[in-house]
Amino acid sequence: ENSNRTNRQKALDNPNNKRAVALLKSLVKEEKSLSEMARILNKEGFVTAWGCQFKASQVNIA
């Protein structure tokens, strides 16, 4: 459990993740769909932790 907490904190502190979160917050305000958000993340060069492109099902705005 401690390693999960450490990994989560590292992810939250990651500058690229912070940029992605800021972008997603603005897209939520613009009422973009999850598909549109995934497309924009991909267009902006963001990738998943595994280096893949985002799909709508992977976009988490909670």
Side-chain angles (χ1 to χ4, degrees):
E1 181 179 307
N2 195 26
S3 64
N4 287 341
R5 197 172 341 173
T6 301
N7 286 343
R8 177 155 172 72
Q9 191 58 50
K10 284 182 184 178
L12 291 173
D13 292 339
N14 181 298
N16 285 327
N17 290 351
K18 287 181 179 184
R19 285 190 323 112
V21 167
L23 175 58
L24 285 170
K25 284 181 180 180
S26 71
L27 296 174
V28 167
K29 285 181 184 176
E30 295 174 22
E31 300 182 359
K32 300 288 187 190
S33 70
L34 295 178
S35 295
E36 290 172 308
M37 291 182 197
R39 185 183 54 75
I40 292 168
L41 285 171
N42 293 329
K43 183 180 140 200
E44 293 296 321
F46 290 101
V47 294
T48 67
W50 296 274
C52 300
Q53 289 194 330
F54 282 94
K55 299 176 189 169
S57 62
Q58 295 169 303
V59 178
N60 183 347
I61 57 173

